[in-house]
Amino acid sequence: FPVTIDGEIIGITLWKNGVQDAYLFESDTMGTTSSLRKGPSGCGTIRLVAGDYIEIRLFQNSGGALSLFGGLDRNRVDIFRVG
C-alpha cells in the first residue's frame, strides 16, 4: 500500500470457513511521504480438513480505496502441507 496519512493502520487477517482465525499483522504507518511503502506480511498455521477454505484479507483505514503494488515479488501467498 502507498502510505497517505500519518498514523494510518494496515493489517492482515486469516479466515477459515468464513470465521476469523488469526490476526497476522497490524502496523501504524509513520509519515506522509508519498514514496513511503508499507509491505504487510504474516505467518500462521491452520488445521484444515477436506472442504475447508481460507481467505486472506488485507485492510487499511486511509478513508479511501488503495491499490496493491504490482509485480511478481510483491503479492504472493505460500501454502505448505505439514505432516
Side-chain angles (χ1 to χ4, degrees):
F1 291 116
V3 176
T4 58
I5 301 170
D6 192 18
E8 179 181 294
I9 296 174
I10 59 176
I12 300 174
T13 54
L14 187 58
W15 295 64
K16 174 183 168 182
N17 300 326
V19 178
Q20 185 174 336
D21 190 82
Y23 202 85
L24 301 180
F25 178 89
E26 181 175 310
S27 177
D28 292 326
T29 59
M30 295 172 280
T32 56
T33 305
S34 62
S35 64
L36 185 60
R37 304 280 191 262
K38 198 64 167 179
S41 62
C43 176
T45 302
I46 296 180
R47 294 182 184 272
L48 300 172
V49 296
D52 285 348
Y53 67 94
I54 60 170
E55 300 170 62
I56 301 167
R57 300 183 186 181
L58 281 75
F59 64 89
Q60 51 84 21
N61 70 339
S62 71
L66 295 177
S67 298
L68 295 175
F69 292 111
L72 297 175
D73 62 337
R74 298 264 184 182
N75 304 304
R76 77 168 208 239
V77 174
D78 295 320
I79 299 174
F80 300 94
R81 180 178 179 181
V82 178

